[in-house]
Short mmCIF file of all heavy atoms in Angstrom, two decimals:
data_model
loop_
_atom_site.label_atom_id
_atom_site.label_comp_id
_atom_site.label_asym_id
_atom_site.label_seq_id
_atom_site.Cartn_x
_atom_site.Cartn_y
_atom_site.Cartn_z
N GLU A 21 -54.83 8.68 102.11
CA GLU A 21 -54.67 9.39 103.42
C GLU A 21 -54.68 10.88 103.13
O GLU A 21 -55.27 11.63 103.93
CB GLU A 21 -53.35 9.01 104.11
CG GLU A 21 -53.48 7.84 104.99
CD GLU A 21 -52.13 7.17 105.28
OE1 GLU A 21 -51.12 7.94 105.43
OE2 GLU A 21 -52.12 5.92 105.34
N HIS A 22 -54.05 11.30 102.11
CA HIS A 22 -53.92 12.67 101.72
C HIS A 22 -55.40 13.23 101.61
O HIS A 22 -55.68 14.38 102.09
CB HIS A 22 -53.21 12.90 100.35
CG HIS A 22 -53.22 14.29 99.93
ND1 HIS A 22 -52.21 15.11 100.34
CD2 HIS A 22 -54.00 15.00 99.21
CE1 HIS A 22 -52.43 16.32 99.79
NE2 HIS A 22 -53.56 16.29 99.12
N PHE A 23 -56.27 12.54 100.98
CA PHE A 23 -57.67 12.86 100.87
C PHE A 23 -58.27 13.21 102.26
O PHE A 23 -58.99 14.17 102.45
CB PHE A 23 -58.46 11.88 100.14
CG PHE A 23 -58.68 12.17 98.72
CD1 PHE A 23 -57.75 11.82 97.69
CD2 PHE A 23 -59.82 12.89 98.28
CE1 PHE A 23 -57.93 12.12 96.44
CE2 PHE A 23 -59.96 13.23 96.97
CZ PHE A 23 -59.11 12.83 96.01
N HIS A 24 -58.13 12.13 103.08
CA HIS A 24 -58.73 12.18 104.37
C HIS A 24 -58.17 13.34 105.22
O HIS A 24 -58.95 14.08 105.88
CB HIS A 24 -58.57 10.92 105.11
CG HIS A 24 -59.55 9.84 104.49
ND1 HIS A 24 -59.71 8.63 105.02
CD2 HIS A 24 -60.25 9.89 103.36
CE1 HIS A 24 -60.55 7.93 104.24
NE2 HIS A 24 -60.88 8.71 103.31
N LYS A 25 -56.83 13.53 105.15
CA LYS A 25 -56.22 14.61 106.00
C LYS A 25 -56.72 15.93 105.52
O LYS A 25 -57.20 16.80 106.24
CB LYS A 25 -54.72 14.52 105.78
CG LYS A 25 -53.97 13.60 106.75
CD LYS A 25 -52.58 14.13 106.97
CE LYS A 25 -51.67 13.10 107.64
NZ LYS A 25 -50.98 12.19 106.70
N SER A 26 -56.65 16.15 104.18
CA SER A 26 -57.01 17.48 103.70
C SER A 26 -58.48 17.76 103.94
O SER A 26 -58.87 18.87 104.18
CB SER A 26 -56.74 17.58 102.16
OG SER A 26 -57.43 16.54 101.57
N SER A 27 -59.31 16.72 103.97
CA SER A 27 -60.69 17.05 104.26
C SER A 27 -60.96 17.40 105.67
O SER A 27 -61.74 18.25 106.01
CB SER A 27 -61.66 15.88 103.81
OG SER A 27 -61.44 14.86 104.78
N SER A 28 -60.17 16.69 106.51
CA SER A 28 -60.51 17.03 107.94
C SER A 28 -59.83 18.31 108.40
O SER A 28 -60.33 19.06 109.23
CB SER A 28 -59.98 15.88 108.91
OG SER A 28 -58.55 15.70 108.61
N SER A 29 -58.64 18.67 107.75
CA SER A 29 -58.00 19.86 108.19
C SER A 29 -58.71 21.11 107.66
O SER A 29 -58.76 22.10 108.34
CB SER A 29 -56.53 19.89 107.74
OG SER A 29 -56.55 19.86 106.33
N SER A 30 -59.24 21.00 106.44
CA SER A 30 -59.80 22.20 105.87
C SER A 30 -61.28 22.39 106.21
O SER A 30 -61.81 23.48 106.07
CB SER A 30 -59.69 22.16 104.34
OG SER A 30 -60.49 21.16 103.92
N GLY A 31 -61.90 21.30 106.65
CA GLY A 31 -63.36 21.41 106.87
C GLY A 31 -64.14 21.29 105.56
O GLY A 31 -65.32 21.11 105.56
N VAL A 32 -63.47 21.64 104.51
CA VAL A 32 -64.08 21.44 103.18
C VAL A 32 -63.54 20.22 102.56
O VAL A 32 -62.42 20.07 102.35
CB VAL A 32 -63.72 22.64 102.22
CG1 VAL A 32 -64.39 22.47 100.87
CG2 VAL A 32 -64.00 23.90 102.89
N PRO A 33 -64.48 19.20 102.36
CA PRO A 33 -64.04 17.95 101.82
C PRO A 33 -63.33 18.21 100.53
O PRO A 33 -63.74 19.12 99.78
CB PRO A 33 -65.26 17.10 101.65
CG PRO A 33 -66.35 18.03 101.85
CD PRO A 33 -65.91 19.24 102.52
N TYR A 34 -62.23 17.50 100.28
CA TYR A 34 -61.57 17.43 99.00
C TYR A 34 -60.84 18.62 98.47
O TYR A 34 -60.12 18.54 97.46
CB TYR A 34 -62.53 16.97 97.94
CG TYR A 34 -63.36 18.03 97.30
CD1 TYR A 34 -63.02 18.72 96.12
CD2 TYR A 34 -64.56 18.43 97.89
CE1 TYR A 34 -63.78 19.73 95.58
CE2 TYR A 34 -65.30 19.51 97.41
CZ TYR A 34 -64.95 20.04 96.18
OH TYR A 34 -65.66 21.10 95.67
N SER A 35 -60.95 19.84 99.11
CA SER A 35 -60.45 20.94 98.30
C SER A 35 -58.96 20.93 97.98
O SER A 35 -58.64 21.01 96.84
CB SER A 35 -60.80 22.27 98.93
OG SER A 35 -60.30 22.29 100.21
N PRO A 36 -58.09 20.79 98.95
CA PRO A 36 -56.66 20.79 98.52
C PRO A 36 -56.27 19.57 97.81
O PRO A 36 -55.17 19.59 97.13
CB PRO A 36 -55.91 20.93 99.87
CG PRO A 36 -56.85 20.57 100.92
CD PRO A 36 -58.25 20.40 100.39
N MET A 113 -68.27 12.81 104.95
CA MET A 113 -67.39 11.66 104.97
C MET A 113 -67.56 10.82 103.72
O MET A 113 -66.65 10.30 103.11
CB MET A 113 -67.56 10.90 106.28
CG MET A 113 -66.79 11.48 107.47
SD MET A 113 -65.14 11.97 107.04
CE MET A 113 -64.32 10.35 106.60
N VAL A 116 -66.10 12.22 100.73
CA VAL A 116 -64.67 12.10 100.76
C VAL A 116 -64.22 10.71 100.37
O VAL A 116 -63.30 10.51 99.58
CB VAL A 116 -64.09 12.52 102.17
CG1 VAL A 116 -62.58 12.23 102.15
CG2 VAL A 116 -64.32 13.96 102.39
#
Side-chain angles (χ1 to χ4, degrees):
E21 271 163 34
H22 177 89
F23 260 88
H24 287 188
K25 270 207 194 90
S26 56
S27 72
S28 57
S29 64
S30 64
V32 179
Y34 83 94
S35 63
M113 277 316 294
V116 174

